[in-house]
Amino acid sequence: MRDDNKNLIVAIVLSMAVLLGWQYFFAAPEAERQRLASQQQQSTQVNPNAPNPPASPSQAGGAAPTVPGTVPATPVAPTVETREAALARSPRVAIDTPTIAGSINLRGGRIDDVALRNYRETVDPRSPNIVLLSPAGTQSPYYADFGWVGTGNGPVPTAETVWTADSTTLTPSTPVTLTWDNGQGLVFRRTISVDGKSMFTVKNAVENRGTAPATLHPYGLVSRHGKPTTLGYYVLHEGLIGVLGDKGLQEYTYDAIAKEDPVPAGQNTVGEVWEGVNGGFVGITDKYWAAAVIPDQTQPYQGSFTMRQGPTGQIYQANMLGAAQTLQPGATTEVTQRLFAGAKEVATVDAYHEALNIRNFDLLIDWGWFYFITKPLFKVLDFFFHLFGNFGIAILLVTVLLKILFFPLASKSYASMAKMKAVQPEMVSIRERFADDKMKQQQALMELYRKEKINPVAGCWPVLIQIPVFFALYKVLFVTIEMRHAPFFGWIRDLAAPDPTSIFNLFGLLPYNPGAVPVLGPFLMLGVWPILMGITMWLQMKMNPEPPDPVQKQVFAWMPVIFTFMLGSFPAGLVIYWAWNNLLSVTQQAFIMRKNGVKIELWDNLRKTFSRKASPAKG
């Protein structure tokens, strides 16, 4: 049964190795292929100057109109401009907040120019700020649009409508009101305000000065032209996202939405019955940034995710459509919507979730399946970060806390392993006595375990517990923007990026980049911390007797080497955690083994290992 126990451990570890190996050998190359394909596409892609939302269909019987943007716009002469040229082409209202620099396009009333003041493209403080939203006509248009679709008393505003603004600058203390009169009885007002973080509030009002009633549906959307470069990792969602009331979280990658009907099916086509949901949001998310439209949480709406082929390529949209509102002559109606456009900071997203009561808005951050572990783990890390000012130190301290928390379980596990070692002679005798009868052999072993009060699978618990914790920490390091560009000490300037050093250029002493070597480059970026992790993993394996089975012996011998190369491309923070965890495990195991009177095999195993290596030279 001891061999069965070790077989189980090997199966668990190998399963983990398969998952990580898939991540390394398949996901990363696929991401690179997508990046190159996206670059090639963007090099030849052009965009319309200003794609118009389609006119709404007739609304006989109160049927819902088509969500704006789900029908291809009339083709126009395609051009591509620099971002500066596109911004200069239209009249604009500047946006000036502590976190956002940008502008609102008065042609169409779109929020299509947002740059993030607090975030840069690289760790170099002189690198450009992150640009989130860009206007139509640029290489990668990405914008938010709000308005009305409907019938009665003339046209509604479109992408070509030029609004009149009552101010030249939008700040947290000075909202801006846009006005447009359609000349046939309807006066539209759009008041836009912004806070000091990432949230815009858009109040769309319509006054009916005509003599006939008008029926209008409010809408909001986030539109992105062209498929952006994505990382392609299975642990990270990039693409369209939303929470649609009771339908819950909806996530669609760019490739998935291109293969499906508008999602949810049927909600953005004309029908006889208008059905909506309450609460939630719709948007588009990147790894660290997002743009999301948030409807009034108390009013019903329809949410959908679509992809259409525009004049120059794919156009991806997250849409929300409100219920019909009928304005009698002399009446005014107003709808409040919001736009989140910024970095997915945990504290900021959670604050909006609580203060504005946005349903499940915290799921805008991809916490994954282990949400119940991942988010609390981040909270603890963040607490220590604010205490010591270094996320690397926070990782070390949290690892110590986890070791203390699971110490009783580890103690029982190692105690059980010690008992297993003590009865090893009896186990060998049973196997020899019932060598030809496996059934009786197993029965005799189980009787021995009951007699000695041994749990044969107790040794697996530390490994089983470490797996979800490992993935939870991996998720935290990978998806939370707080880890982005967070330094540790020395050469580690970004805990979310791999260790930048490599043993294959003597850690920077030789003037070349091993990572640039074709095909082998990823394997040659083997930094200091991955090597330290491999050494600590090797020491941990040497704490126990060598497996009698030759195959298992070879697996355990090569595992530290395999993991060293695999984790070379993982975030440095994760590798630091693993190395520190291994070192603490060695110390903990030595303490427990000494406490239970079990011989520590480390030194004997090290002597055997190096004596075997030295023996050929003696001959």
Side-chain angles (χ1 to χ4, degrees):
M1 182 60 69
R2 184 183 181 191
D3 287 342
D4 292 340
N5 183 27
K6 289 188 176 180
N7 286 335
L8 179 58
I9 296 176
V10 170
I12 293 171
V13 175
L14 288 180
S15 297
M16 186 175 177
V18 168
L19 290 173
L20 298 178
W22 184 91
Q23 174 79 18
Y24 186 89
F25 293 107
F26 294 95
E30 177 61 24
E32 178 66 12
R33 285 193 292 270
Q34 290 182 6
R35 183 185 68 82
L36 294 175
S38 177
Q39 286 182 347
Q40 183 178 4
Q41 177 188 14
Q42 291 179 359
S43 65
T44 58
Q45 181 177 341
V46 290
N47 294 283
N49 287 329
N52 296 323
S56 61
S58 70
Q59 301 180 34
T66 302
V67 173
T70 59
V71 177
T74 302
V76 296
T79 60
V80 171
E81 300 176 293
T82 64
R83 193 166 185 275
E84 292 73 16
L87 293 173
R89 182 165 43 83
S90 301
R92 292 185 169 269
V93 170
I95 302 173
D96 185 9
T97 81
T99 59
I100 291 176
S103 60
I104 299 169
N105 192 345
L106 291 181
R107 185 179 300 277
R110 290 174 175 170
I111 301 175
D112 62 358
D113 173 25
V114 168
L116 308 182
R117 295 184 188 274
N118 296 336
Y119 294 96
R120 298 186 178 274
E121 293 182 0
T122 69
V123 293
D124 187 344
R126 297 166 297 181
S127 63
N129 288 103
I130 293 293
V131 172
L132 180 61
L133 302 183
S134 294
T138 59
Q139 194 166 28
S140 302
Y142 187 15
Y143 51 82
D145 197 7
F146 299 87
W148 304 86
V149 290
T151 59
N153 292 5
V156 295
T158 70
E160 291 297 330
T161 299
V162 178
W163 295 73
T164 301
D166 66 351
S167 176
T168 58
T169 304
L170 171 64
T171 72
S173 59
T174 57
V176 171
T177 298
L178 312 182
T179 306
W180 181 69
D181 189 332
N182 74 350
Q184 298 183 36
L186 296 182
V187 178
F188 296 85
R189 292 185 179 87
R190 181 173 301 169
T191 301
I192 303 174
S193 57
V194 64
D195 64 10
K197 287 288 187 177
S198 308
M199 189 68 74
F200 294 84
T201 299
V202 181
K203 295 182 178 180
N204 273 304
V206 185
E207 179 184 1
N208 187 356
R209 297 179 179 177
T211 59
T215 301
L216 302 171
H217 287 256
Y219 75 85
L221 62 84
V222 174
S223 184
R224 191 170 209 167
H225 295 218
K227 180 182 175 182
T229 301
T230 59
L231 296 175
Y233 289 101
Y234 75 99
V235 297
L236 173 69
H237 173 67
E238 298 170 281
L240 296 94
I241 187 172
V243 171
L244 304 183
D246 294 334
K247 299 179 184 296
L249 179 66
Q250 310 289 319
E251 294 180 320
Y252 298 92
T253 64
Y254 296 102
D255 290 336
I257 204 67
K259 299 174 184 176
E260 301 187 27
D261 291 331
V263 180
Q267 283 202 349
N268 51 340
T269 59
V270 175
E272 295 182 356
V273 179
W274 198 95
E275 295 182 358
V277 297
N278 289 78
F281 64 94
V282 295
I284 299 177
T285 182
D286 298 315
K287 180 178 181 179
Y288 293 126
W289 337 105
V293 171
I294 304 159
D296 186 329
Q297 299 294 288
T298 64
Q299 299 298 316
Y301 72 97
Q302 291 180 343
S304 63
F305 308 98
T306 62
M307 191 284 289
R308 75 180 192 274
Q309 193 68 30
T312 57
Q314 301 94 339
I315 299 177
Y316 302 90
Q317 278 187 192
N319 316 283
M320 62 80 46
L321 181 71
Q325 301 193 24
T326 300
L327 279 78
Q328 298 299 328
T332 299
T333 188
E334 182 179 85
V335 173
T336 299
Q337 301 157 301
R338 289 185 169 87
L339 169 70
F340 175 89
K344 297 190 294 184
E345 299 168 347
V346 176
T348 300
V349 171
D350 284 352
Y352 289 138
H353 170 64
E354 296 293 334
L356 302 177
N357 197 28
I358 305 172
R359 187 168 188 168
N360 295 130
F361 192 60
D362 57 328
L363 297 184
L364 187 64
I365 299 172
D366 185 9
W367 294 110
W369 292 349
F370 292 111
Y371 179 98
F372 60 95
I373 299 177
T374 309
K375 193 168 184 180
L377 184 60
F378 169 82
K379 295 287 189 181
V380 178
L381 284 167
D382 193 53
F383 169 79
F384 283 118
F385 167 72
H386 285 92
L387 199 60
F388 295 99
N390 189 300
F391 266 115
I393 293 177
I395 291 171
L396 301 182
L397 291 174
V398 167
T399 309
V400 173
L401 289 180
L402 290 172
K403 283 296 180 184
I404 295 173
L405 178 64
F406 295 121
F407 180 82
L409 188 60
S411 181
K412 289 182 180 180
S413 171
Y414 290 130
S416 179
M417 292 171 64
K419 290 181 181 179
M420 290 279 287
K421 185 176 181 181
V423 299
Q424 184 69 21
E426 295 182 56
M427 294 171 62
V428 172
S429 175
I430 290 173
R431 288 193 177 97
E432 292 175 349
R433 191 163 61 251
F434 301 106
D436 297 328
D437 193 335
K438 296 297 182 182
M439 181 65 71
K440 289 185 177 180
Q441 182 184 116
Q442 293 299 322
Q443 291 174 348
L445 286 173
M446 293 304 296
E447 181 62 30
L448 176 64
Y449 295 148
R450 282 193 292 268
K451 175 184 175 183
E452 300 294 335
K453 298 180 180 180
I454 296 173
N455 182 359
V457 297
C460 301
W461 285 114
V463 177
L464 289 173
I465 290 173
Q466 185 171 326
I467 289 176
V469 173
F470 169 82
F471 278 113
L473 185 60
Y474 176 35
K475 192 80 169 178
V476 168
L477 290 169
F478 195 70
V479 306
T480 57
I481 194 170
E482 287 79 1
M483 296 293 177
R484 181 181 184 264
H485 297 173
F488 184 43
F489 293 110
W491 63 94
I492 302 297
R493 300 176 62 193
D494 185 356
L495 286 167
D499 187 325
T501 61
S502 173
I503 192 174
F504 295 102
N505 65 0
L506 300 182
F507 308 111
L509 293 178
L510 300 180
Y512 80 96
N513 178 18
V517 177
V519 182
L520 298 178
F523 299 96
L524 301 181
M525 291 306 296
L526 197 60
V528 175
W529 276 106
I531 293 173
L532 290 176
M533 187 283 305
I535 293 173
T536 58
M537 189 175 186
W538 180 71
L539 288 174
Q540 187 178 14
M541 299 234 172
K542 292 297 180 181
M543 287 290 293
N544 299 306
E546 292 184 345
D549 181 63
V551 175
Q552 291 184 18
K553 186 176 179 179
Q554 288 299 317
V555 169
F556 278 100
W558 281 101
M559 195 172 296
V561 178
I562 295 171
F563 269 65
T564 297
F565 277 91
M566 283 174 53
L567 268 70
S569 64
F570 273 56
L574 189 69
V575 181
I576 292 170
Y577 155 77
W578 194 292
W580 177 237
N581 181 71
N582 288 344
L583 187 61
L584 292 177
S585 296
V586 170
T587 305
Q588 183 184 66
Q589 186 174 350
F591 172 77
I592 296 173
M593 292 175 73
R594 186 179 298 275
K595 178 183 176 182
N596 286 275
V598 178
K599 180 182 177 182
I600 300 174
E601 304 283 348
L602 176 62
W603 308 115
D604 287 345
N605 285 337
L606 290 177
R607 279 193 293 269
K608 289 178 184 178
T609 298
F610 290 108
S611 63
R612 282 198 299 266
K613 292 180 179 179
S615 58
K618 294 180 181 179

